[in-house]
Amino acid sequence: MPKIEIPLGDFLSLAEMDNTDNLEKLLESLKAELDGLNEKTVKIELNDTNRPDLWTAEGVARGLRCWKNGAESHLDSLSDPAVHIDVHSDLKEIRPFIAAFTATGWKVDDDGLESLITAQEKIASSFGKERKTAAIGFYPLDEISFPVSYAVTSPETGFQPLGGEGEMTLAEILLKTEAGLKYAGLLSDFQKYPILRDSSGAVLSFPPVINSHSTGRVVAGNSRLFCEVTGTDWHTVNLTATILACNLEDRGAVIGPVEIRYPDGNVTVTPVLYRDTLTATLEEISEMIGTDAEELDIEALLSKMDYSEIEIGEGSVTAVMPPYRRDGIHPRDLMEDIVIAIGLNNMEPVLPSEYTVGSAAPVEILARSVKALLVGAGCEEIMRPVLTSFDKISTRTKTPEPPIRINNPMTAEYGVVSNTLLPALLEVESSSGHAAFPHRLFTVGEVLRRTGDTLCHTQMNLAVSTGDGDFGTVHSILGVICHLRGLELSLKPLDDARFIPGRSAVILIDGEEAGILGEFHPGVLEAWGITVPVAGFELPLESLRG
Amino acid sequence: MSETVSKDLHPLEKTLLNWLSEYGPGSDTEIMAGTGMDEGSYRRALQWLLSRDMALILSSAKTVTVELGPIGSDNLEKGTIPELALLEAVGSGTSSLPEIQKNELFERAQWGSAMGALLKARILKKGPGGLVLNDPSGGVFPAIWSSVYSVISDGEIIHLSELDEKVAAEVSGRAPRRGKSRAEFVINETTSSVVEISAPGREAFENARGRSTIGILTREILASGEWKNGSFRRYQVDIPPSRIHIGRLHPYAMFLDSVREKLQAMGFQEMKGSLAESEFWNCDALFMPQFHPARDIHDAYYLEDGVEVEPPSRELGDKVKAAHENGGKTGGRGWEYTFEWDRSLKAIMRSQGTALSARTLGSNPDIPGKYFGIAKCFRYDQVDATHLPDFFQVEGIVLGEEINMRHLLGLLKLFATEVAGATEYKFVPAYFPFTEPSVELHVKHPTLGWFEMGGAGLFRREVCEPMGIDVPVIAWGLGLDRMALLALGLSDIRDLLNPDLARLREMKSTPEKLLGGEDNA
């Protein structure tokens, strides 16, 4: 979940708040949590991954203002575009989309600059998929002579990157700069790279990697900015530009749209303002909230959530989401905002009145019965993780059936899925040489086994082992369980690499093959570092159902 | 031990043996109080018994206490000691000894020796105009008043060993071994022992009483009736028992079972699923878009190539695909991207218990119906004190024609009181990819304080519609790890699945400790 850190003074002034009293509670309406607060900064964690507008100081502050004062207008009196960007061909496969705007009349201060940088980082990294679908650039407007061209160029093109010592080629930037190394993967499939230049030919930036040193450096004191967003997904690019434009407007800038001219003759004026219109019937609202919607002031409620053009007509509500949001994809999303505005703690909880019968899963009921017998037999229950290692299952224990491997393990220690429980009991034995003997252990748990050539299935197994015990000990334990469950137990000799030859067997329950039982081979014990004789058995729990 | 010796027992010895055999072991004071012996008689009797091994000293401790002597008592009555009074006089401008000695609070000699002590400790020095304060702290003397006199005047006993080292030295120096009538302090040393009867002592005592002693009661003693003529050796019943190791259920399994029981009692039926799932059931069916950051937070473990799980029906798959791409028949517009069927079929280790709920929705669930699952889940996290490679999640669904937001809140309230035993709770708006509205339940537990206990919401139409479910569905999940750790007295989550039997044997069997309900109120 994104976390942002905002200078406290900047935050309070943006949010039009005198102090931070009640801030934690107010943030709940934005699905945000207060993560830290001191005299200088406020830290906020945002839980809604579909609301990149909230990952900025301006967005959170706007939400709090609207909650108090009602909806605001956003970018509703944009002038005609004064400047344009020419998009050249050959970008289609690489990075086809661009949106841009100018922001003038607000003098960038230190807090504002910090906020621009935070927005750039948070939005481009998470919402923009590490700059793939959207990357952001800010420039001092007066350094640029329009029109700007968005084109592709050879990796040998050179310019001085922001923070660099001198001119470098694009290829060098990817190899030698921090940003280059981080984002080179986005361009590795291509022979040519995107480039933004102004009409004098000066490089503005090498998107999505880095701005130019001469034209791409915004400092406190600038009051005329140019902002562009490039990326591989149009809606991500345009929404990002819209969010940034709304944020700068909130700080007092006048936003000027920019015309984008595509090589096929299409022309778009950006940012393109979204006005997602959502409609829900009063009946479905009433059904969902469990109260008659007619009794609610829905207009006031939606206004708190910054909706505009709220119309309550014949049995339904229609409202327009603010342009910085695009997460309203179903009437339910409108309804949730009504619920948030009402306040969850203002709704009276009631219990479902329809009668239902509770029950545990059959295998769990069986497990409970069998476990009660094992405890009576003096066995101690063990619980171990399902993920384990190939070493434990195959190399040390010599289990004949190979376990299913994890393709992307975090460590080899958890690189396979258990297909047997006996290795877990041997692991306990090898860690418990200092615990008073004898050890009678059991574990009941799910394992993952292959079904045929490609499929797999989950099965609940039971394994029992005895430390400082022999074949007879485990045989007796299994024997008494079968006896008390009314099952007929017999053993059929079968050699198995895990056990001493002649001291292992297939378990037959009521004549059906169920599992294996044996006395572990000293070689297996040695591999585990176990210094006492150990015997054990394992079978599917269901085989004890009878 | 022969008859002759036991007959030789002195009456004082018999008194002492009698007490020790009935009530022992005991301390000197307990024994003297219990037998009514004076100290002299007791010490003699004990000495005799010790010399014949009929009694044992279990432990003995020396205690050194400080009391006030006659001078000290006078000082306490006067409310100060000469040194402090003298310092006060110098502090208020009286700088010559003869001047000070006019004050009759203390004798002239006392003033004199106080001055000597203060000069020696360099607290005072002699200046041209008389006595001058050199060390305003007053050295050790204020502490003598505050930590000795004041404490004694409060009626408490002072142990020399508990005093500050410097104070103790000064106090010892003022406690003469002779001439106690002029002493400021008296130091008392006493040795206190705990005495126990020995086996020979017991035998001698029993013989002296003319009866046989029965140790372990045997079948033979019962059969012969021998017990009628003997007496039973008294066991020392207050020693700790020896530890035995018994068969037992794992406390964490018991904790999960008690949660299972609670949910059954609330009318939920249990769902079971597979450790391995397709991304279809784990994510797609839950309307988590294939491209979305929401999917990143569920980073999953993928199974080795060539291992698959049963694919969903293509018909169902197409409905889910439509819901993602354009909303299908859900009334929404979907996520507007191209859904990849191949991605849906990838086999992963189940990353969320909600996968079980999705499967239940897709297999003709009861309506009205309530379901829960205690599911092993796998998250791509480093293992540490708060993360295990796999862990249990408790989740479920409630379906019904009448279900609405207020029922969802009612259910969460029930979880807060019944499962967590919470005293207060609140609801907070939340975000989950598959529910809208979404709610977090925060509870105030009597021991844990406020914590986030779980989340819930109404399943989105995009989740229900493809499964053919047209009634509202509540989806809920509870995080129980913190409660499990506290109930079992642990702080590291890895201890829940510890392979060390010795430590497992130390784990407390108190799984029901934190669960709510009347029994545990």
Side-chain angles (χ1 to χ4, degrees):
Chain A
M1 305 300 165
K3 287 185 186 179
I4 56 172
E5 201 173 321
I6 314 170
L8 184 61
D10 189 39
F11 176 73
L12 290 176
S13 109
L14 281 168
E16 297 176 5
M17 287 165 62
D18 299 327
N19 54 54
T20 54
D21 297 353
N22 221 14
L23 180 59
E24 191 161 6
K25 177 124 195 60
L26 288 168
L27 288 173
E28 287 175 2
S29 65
L30 306 175
K31 300 185 181 178
E33 286 171 49
L34 188 59
D35 196 41
L37 179 67
N38 59 35
E39 309 85 65
K40 283 186 185 157
T41 51
V42 52
K43 285 188 208 166
I44 297 173
E45 180 170 7
L46 290 315
N47 290 324
D48 190 339
T49 48
N50 286 328
R51 291 283 306 271
D53 59 291
L54 291 175
W55 306 351
T56 63
E58 295 86 351
V60 174
R62 182 188 306 125
L64 297 181
R65 283 199 310 273
C66 295
W67 184 259
K68 191 166 57 176
N69 306 327
E72 298 177 351
S73 64
H74 307 285
L75 308 176
D76 67 344
S77 52
L78 295 183
S79 58
D80 287 335
V83 294
H84 77 264
I85 297 175
D86 288 312
V87 179
H88 292 251
S89 50
D90 298 337
L91 275 159
K92 196 164 181 190
E93 297 299 317
I94 307 174
R95 202 167 177 82
F97 302 108
I98 183 165
F101 62 88
T102 61
T104 55
W106 166 66
K107 192 163 157 188
V108 178
D109 53 24
D110 289 337
D111 288 345
L113 190 62
E114 189 179 325
S115 182
L116 287 183
I117 294 167
T118 306
Q120 231 172 337
E121 284 170 4
K122 297 290 170 188
I123 298 181
S125 67
S126 185
F127 186 60
K129 291 256 157 195
E130 301 297 342
R131 300 197 183 177
K132 179 174 192 286
T133 53
I136 299 163
F138 285 104
Y139 312 82
L141 179 61
D142 296 333
E143 302 289 323
I144 302 169
S145 53
F146 282 89
V148 163
S149 85
Y150 181 38
V152 293
T153 189
S154 136
E156 296 314 309
T157 308
F159 76 102
Q160 184 182 357
L162 188 58
E165 294 289 307
E167 190 167 302
M168 297 169 86
T169 67
L170 304 190
E172 284 172 337
I173 288 172
L174 292 186
L175 281 174
K176 293 180 185 167
T177 67
E178 197 183 325
L181 289 167
K182 190 166 176 193
Y183 300 109
L186 297 176
L187 299 170
S188 57
D189 289 344
F190 308 110
Q191 312 301 319
K192 292 193 164 188
Y193 299 155
I195 193 96
L196 273 167
R197 289 193 180 95
D198 75 358
S199 64
S200 73
V203 173
L204 267 57
S205 73
F206 167 27
V209 181
I210 199 160
N211 275 15
S212 126
H213 192 76
S214 53
T215 59
R217 192 164 52 137
V218 172
V219 294
N222 290 144
S223 60
R224 293 166 55 75
L225 303 179
F226 171 69
C227 170
E228 52 77 20
V229 183
T230 61
T232 59
D233 178 73
W234 162 246
H235 286 303
T236 308
V237 165
N238 186 53
L239 183 63
T240 301
T242 308
I243 290 168
L244 296 171
C246 287
N247 287 359
L248 286 166
E249 185 183 59
D250 282 2
R251 285 195 181 267
V254 174
I255 303 302
V258 171
E259 188 172 286
I260 312 295
R261 296 183 186 170
Y262 287 98
D264 59 4
N266 279 342
V267 170
T268 308
V269 176
T270 62
V272 177
L273 299 192
Y274 295 109
R275 33 174 296 115
D276 287 342
T277 308
L278 293 169
T279 300
T281 66
L282 291 179
E283 190 188 346
E284 62 186 344
I285 296 173
S286 303
E287 278 176 11
M288 194 196 74
I289 62 179
T291 315
D292 189 356
E294 304 265 7
E295 291 169 13
L296 300 171
D297 185 351
I298 288 180
E299 186 167 353
L301 292 171
L302 284 174
S303 179
K304 283 171 88 123
M305 306 304 284
D306 208 15
Y307 281 80
S308 61
E309 300 173 47
I310 303 156
E311 282 175 29
I312 303 179
E314 282 296 304
S316 72
V317 180
T318 297
V320 178
M321 255 197 177
Y324 53 79
R325 281 183 68 176
R326 238 182 85 72
D327 59 319
I329 62 175
H330 190 279
R332 189 63 82 72
D333 298 304
L334 178 78
M335 288 152 69
E336 183 187 52
D337 281 338
I338 294 175
V339 167
I340 293 173
I342 293 171
L344 290 165
N345 296 294
N346 296 326
M347 300 173 77
E348 192 196 343
V350 293
L351 282 176
S353 59
E354 289 169 320
Y355 187 78
T356 57
V357 177
S359 61
V363 70
E364 294 291 347
I365 297 171
L366 174 62
R368 206 178 295 186
S369 307
V370 172
K371 280 158 85 168
L373 297 177
L374 285 160
V375 168
C379 298
E380 295 176 80
E381 187 178 15
I382 299 298
M383 288 178 87
R384 293 290 294 148
V386 172
L387 291 186
T388 183
S389 69
F390 184 83
D391 176 58
K392 289 175 186 172
I393 291 194
S394 302
T395 315
R396 291 198 214 183
T397 311
K398 300 200 186 316
T399 309
E401 177 184 309
I404 293 172
R405 288 174 185 268
I406 298 293
N407 229 353
N408 57 332
M410 184 148 271
T411 64
E413 200 184 342
Y414 303 112
V416 306
V417 191
S418 295
N419 58 345
T420 163
L421 300 175
L422 284 171
L425 296 184
L426 288 174
E427 186 176 14
V428 170
E429 206 51 71
S430 85
S431 315
S432 307
H434 57 293
F437 285 94
H439 300 163
R440 291 183 167 195
L441 311 177
F442 78 96
T443 185
V444 170
E446 288 174 318
V447 295
L448 191 69
R449 300 187 60 191
R450 292 167 196 271
T451 322
D453 288 340
T454 57
L455 292 177
C456 59
H457 68 279
T458 299
Q459 156 186 320
M460 185 85 92
N461 270 13
L462 162 69
V464 172
S465 73
T466 58
D468 218 1
D470 59 10
F471 188 96
T473 322
V474 286
H475 192 188
S476 299
I477 294 172
L478 180 58
V480 72
I481 289 168
C482 289
H483 170 68
L484 292 173
R485 290 198 57 83
L487 302 169
E488 191 192 325
L489 170 68
S490 55
L491 297 183
K492 187 172 78 181
L494 177 83
D495 282 351
D496 180 305
R498 283 170 281 188
F499 305 112
I500 297 171
R503 298 190 191 177
S504 64
V506 174
I507 299 168
L508 302 172
I509 291 182
D510 287 348
E512 300 266 330
E513 286 196 6
I516 45 97
L517 182 149
E519 204 170 304
F520 281 102
H521 195 283
V524 170
L525 300 179
E526 188 180 61
W528 275 104
I530 297 171
T531 55
V532 295
V534 180
F537 69 83
E538 178 167 8
L539 39 63
L541 197 61
E542 284 295 340
S543 63
L544 295 173
R545 189 180 288 284
Chain B
M1 189 74 43
S2 68
E3 280 293 303
T4 39
V5 175
S6 48
K7 275 181 185 158
D8 285 348
L9 285 176
H10 185 275
L12 281 178
E13 288 178 314
K14 281 187 183 167
T15 308
L16 183 49
L17 284 175
N18 184 41
W19 191 92
L20 289 174
S21 114
E22 290 279 331
Y23 309 106
S27 71
D28 297 335
T29 38
E30 284 168 347
I31 297 170
M32 284 187 276
T35 55
M37 282 193 275
D38 62 50
E39 182 159 4
S41 307
Y42 164 66
R43 297 269 171 222
R44 263 183 296 148
L46 179 60
Q47 221 38 63
W48 295 334
L49 291 180
L50 289 174
S51 68
R52 290 191 286 169
D53 294 332
M54 290 192 202
L56 305 166
I57 302 279
L58 285 184
S59 65
S60 63
K62 199 166 95 174
T63 51
V64 183
T65 56
V66 179
E67 288 170 20
L68 295 181
I71 298 284
S73 302
D74 281 353
N75 289 348
L76 186 62
E77 215 158 282
K78 289 171 181 167
T80 186
I81 55 177
E83 288 81 1
L84 291 177
L86 196 148
L87 283 175
E88 199 176 321
V90 173
S92 58
T94 317
S95 59
S96 84
L97 183 64
E99 198 84 4
I100 293 167
Q101 282 173 328
K102 285 179 187 163
N103 186 335
E104 290 178 0
L105 185 65
F106 295 104
E107 293 167 22
R108 292 172 60 88
Q110 284 183 294
W111 288 119
S113 61
M115 184 186 74
L118 289 166
L119 287 171
K120 191 177 169 207
R122 297 179 187 277
I123 294 163
L124 287 182
K125 63 181 180 187
K126 281 185 173 156
L131 293 171
V132 183
L133 199 55
N134 184 44
D135 174 2
S137 75
V140 76
F141 297 103
I144 287 186
W145 184 261
S146 62
S147 57
V148 184
Y149 279 93
S150 301
V151 177
I152 288 176
S153 107
D154 289 339
E156 287 176 37
I157 291 170
I158 293 185
H159 292 272
L160 192 66
S161 59
E162 287 167 11
L163 291 175
D164 172 83
E165 209 173 301
K166 284 183 185 156
V167 175
E170 190 67 31
V171 166
S172 302
R174 288 163 177 243
R177 301 210 171 251
R178 296 207 178 109
K180 288 186 179 168
S181 63
R182 292 288 297 169
E184 184 176 358
F185 299 110
V186 177
I187 290 185
N188 289 319
E189 287 187 13
T190 51
T191 305
S192 162
S193 307
V194 177
V195 182
E196 184 188 40
I197 192 167
S198 69
R202 191 178 295 280
E203 201 177 321
F205 174 65
E206 293 297 342
N207 288 338
R209 295 209 311 191
R211 309 190 65 176
S212 70
T213 315
I214 297 170
I216 294 168
L217 186 59
T218 60
R219 292 180 191 208
E220 289 71 28
I221 294 173
L222 287 173
S224 68
E226 185 191 333
W227 59 271
K228 291 174 184 162
N229 302 318
S231 68
F232 293 96
R233 177 158 65 79
R234 301 189 69 89
Y235 286 168
Q236 195 181 341
V237 296
D238 57 351
I239 55 168
S242 57
R243 272 286 295 277
I244 56 170
H245 301 292
I246 60 169
R248 70 189 291 223
L249 296 173
H250 195 289
Y252 186 38
M254 292 177 78
F255 175 82
L256 293 171
D257 236 6
S258 55
V259 172
R260 176 177 284 118
E261 240 165 61
K262 281 277 174 197
L263 289 164
Q264 273 174 259
M266 291 181 217
F268 286 85
Q269 49 182 308
E270 188 171 8
M271 312 177 276
K272 277 278 163 189
S274 169
L275 292 172
E277 266 298 358
S278 55
E279 281 206 56
F280 181 84
W281 288 111
N282 196 78
C283 300
D284 297 334
L286 294 166
F287 198 54
M288 294 169 69
Q290 294 181 330
F291 65 85
H292 198 270
R295 204 118 156 184
D296 299 341
I297 59 177
H298 291 281
D299 265 345
Y301 290 105
Y302 289 85
L303 299 195
E304 68 176 80
D305 295 338
V307 178
E308 295 164 9
V309 293
E310 199 88 45
S313 78
R314 191 65 203 227
E315 187 195 350
L316 177 60
D318 283 342
K319 287 183 186 165
V320 169
K321 177 177 154 82
H324 277 244
E325 290 187 339
N326 53 36
K329 293 177 182 160
T330 64
R333 71 165 184 238
W335 287 113
E336 297 175 306
Y337 73 106
T338 307
F339 183 92
E340 288 174 28
W341 187 242
D342 287 349
R343 173 101 191 244
S344 279
L345 296 182
K346 280 194 172 166
I348 60 172
M349 296 306 288
R350 177 173 56 206
S351 78
Q352 48 183 347
T354 322
L356 272 183
S357 299
R359 279 199 178 263
T360 301
L361 282 189
S363 47
N364 289 318
D366 293 341
I367 298 175
K370 297 202 197 97
Y371 294 87
F372 79 101
I374 299 179
K376 259 278 155 121
C377 297
F378 303 79
R379 288 273 169 85
Y380 206 68
D381 274 324
Q382 291 287 359
V383 174
D384 61 23
T386 55
H387 296 93
L388 289 171
D390 42 78
F391 55 95
F392 285 103
Q393 270 191 348
V394 183
E395 336 217 342
I397 49 177
V398 179
L399 313 89
E401 294 281 354
E402 60 150 22
I403 292 298
N404 62 44
M405 275 305 289
R406 289 172 54 203
H407 297 113
L408 185 154
L409 300 179
L411 185 70
L412 292 180
K413 180 183 164 186
L414 193 68
F415 287 151
T417 54
E418 282 300 305
V419 181
T423 47
E424 284 177 59
Y425 61 88
K426 67 173 179 177
F427 307 121
V428 178
Y431 172 76
F432 306 112
F434 32 82
T435 54
E436 189 96 349
S438 307
V439 184
E440 259 170 25
L441 169 66
H442 292 237
V443 300
K444 190 175 183 184
H445 187 275
T447 321
L448 286 171
W450 280 103
F451 74 100
E452 183 191 325
M453 186 188 172
L458 293 179
F459 261 143
R460 298 186 66 103
R461 283 300 297 152
E462 293 94 332
V463 174
C464 295
E465 195 278 337
M467 304 291 162
I469 302 293
D470 55 7
V471 297
V473 181
I474 293 170
W476 56 269
L478 302 177
L480 300 174
D481 286 347
R482 287 184 60 186
M483 286 173 56
L485 289 179
L486 196 75
L488 304 175
L490 304 172
S491 57
D492 187 322
I493 201 161
R494 287 168 293 198
D495 287 341
L496 290 177
L497 306 183
N498 199 300
D500 179 342
L501 192 58
R503 286 177 68 180
L504 182 59
R505 285 171 171 173
E506 294 303 316
M507 211 195 265
K508 303 298 172 242
S509 251
T510 49
E512 74 296 337
K513 196 165 157 188
L514 289 187
L515 296 181
E518 273 179 49
D519 293 349
N520 307 300

